[in-house]
Amino acid sequence: MDRATDYESVGRGFESLQARQIFSLQDTMKDDAYWMGIALREADKAADRGEVPIGAVLVRGGIVVGRGYNRREGTRDPTAHAEIIAIRKAALKADNWRLTDATIYVTLEPCLMCMGAILLARLQRVVFGCRDPKAGAAGSLYDLSNDRRLNHRLAVIGGVMETECAERLSRFFSALRSMKQDLKDMSHQVRRDVRVVDGA
C-alpha cells in the first residue's frame, strides 16, 4: 500500500510539472498577444500618416522601453523602419546598445536590415505577426536568427495575431491601389476634357 501511494504521488507530481509548463506556455502566448496589440496600435499610427502600417515595441522586464512605427515616407529615410526606431529609443533609454533579455514585437517579419540591428543589439527574442515572403529575414526568405556564422542567435516566434497584422497591410495596399486607379482615371478624364476644349 505504501508503495502505491508513493507511485501515485510521483505521478501527480509529474502531472503538475507538466501542467505548470503548459500554463507557463499559455501565459507567454497571452503576453505575446498583449504586446503585439500594442505594436498594432503603433502600426495604426503609421497608417494614419500614410505610411505602410508596421509597428514595433521593445519589451524588457515587462516594460515597454522602445516603440516605433514605419516613418520612411515622412522622414525620407530608408532606415526608418519600425524596428530600427524602437531599438534606437530603447538603446537611448538604457544608455547602452546591448539590449539583452529584451523582446521585440513587430507586426511584420523583420527585413535583413532590421534583423541585423536586432542581432547587433543582442535581443533575446523576436515575435512577429505575419510573414514577409518578399523580404523576411526571420525564416521566410532568409533566417538570420539561427545562422551559425554569426556570433548571436535568438528565438523567433511568428504568427502572433497574424490575421490582424495581415489585415492592416491588406487594407492599406488595397486603399493605395484604389487611390492610384482614381488618379489614373482622373488623369484620363482631364486629357479628354482638354481634347474637347482644344477641338471646340
Side-chain angles (χ1 to χ4, degrees):
M1 273 310 219
D2 290 341
R3 285 179 133 180
T5 307
D6 287 343
Y7 285 121
E8 195 175 311
S9 66
V10 169
R12 282 195 190 125
F14 177 75
E15 287 172 11
S16 63
L17 171 64
Q18 204 172 22
R20 280 195 304 268
Q21 289 172 338
I22 290 168
F23 287 129
S24 176
L25 180 62
Q26 287 173 340
D27 288 344
T28 300
M29 288 170 26
K30 211 182 315 179
D31 288 347
D32 287 348
Y34 172 78
W35 297 119
M36 188 61 73
I38 295 173
L40 280 165
R41 289 200 291 273
E42 291 296 310
D44 291 339
K45 291 178 188 176
D48 291 344
R49 289 161 178 79
E51 301 273 357
V52 176
I54 301 168
V57 293
L58 203 142
V59 177
R60 195 176 195 187
I63 299 167
V64 173
V65 293
R67 61 179 73 213
Y69 54 87
N70 256 17
R71 300 189 60 207
R72 289 190 315 170
E73 300 299 327
T75 61
R76 289 168 180 66
D77 177 359
T79 68
H81 288 204
E83 301 95 319
I84 300 295
I85 293 167
I87 290 168
R88 285 179 180 159
K89 287 180 178 179
L92 283 172
K93 192 171 196 172
D95 196 28
N96 193 339
W97 62 267
R98 288 179 191 87
L99 300 170
T100 54
D101 301 327
T103 298
I104 191 162
Y105 295 86
V106 60
T107 57
L108 180 68
E109 180 182 0
C111 68
L112 277 169
M113 175 185 68
C114 293
M115 277 303 289
I118 287 165
L119 288 163
L120 290 172
R122 307 293 192 262
L123 298 184
Q124 183 177 15
R125 281 193 330 142
V126 173
V127 178
F128 67 85
C130 55
R131 294 203 171 276
D132 185 354
K134 293 183 180 179
S140 289
L141 193 58
Y142 304 98
D143 188 3
L144 294 184
S145 67
N146 201 24
D147 191 322
R148 293 173 189 243
R149 296 170 295 179
L150 302 173
N151 66 347
H152 181 68
R153 287 180 235 0
L154 64 151
V156 173
I157 296 158
V160 175
M161 297 182 74
E162 183 174 11
T163 302
E164 294 88 337
C165 295
E167 281 174 352
R168 278 170 174 77
L169 289 164
S170 293
R171 268 197 318 263
F172 176 82
F173 286 113
S174 176
L176 189 63
R177 282 189 298 274
S178 178
M179 187 173 67
K180 284 181 179 179
Q181 185 60 48
D182 290 346
L183 288 172
K184 188 176 178 182
D185 293 345
M186 283 175 36
S187 175
H188 289 304
Q189 183 62 42
V190 167
R191 285 188 197 133
R192 272 184 255 147
D193 291 346
V194 167
R195 280 190 221 129
V196 168
V197 170
D198 286 345

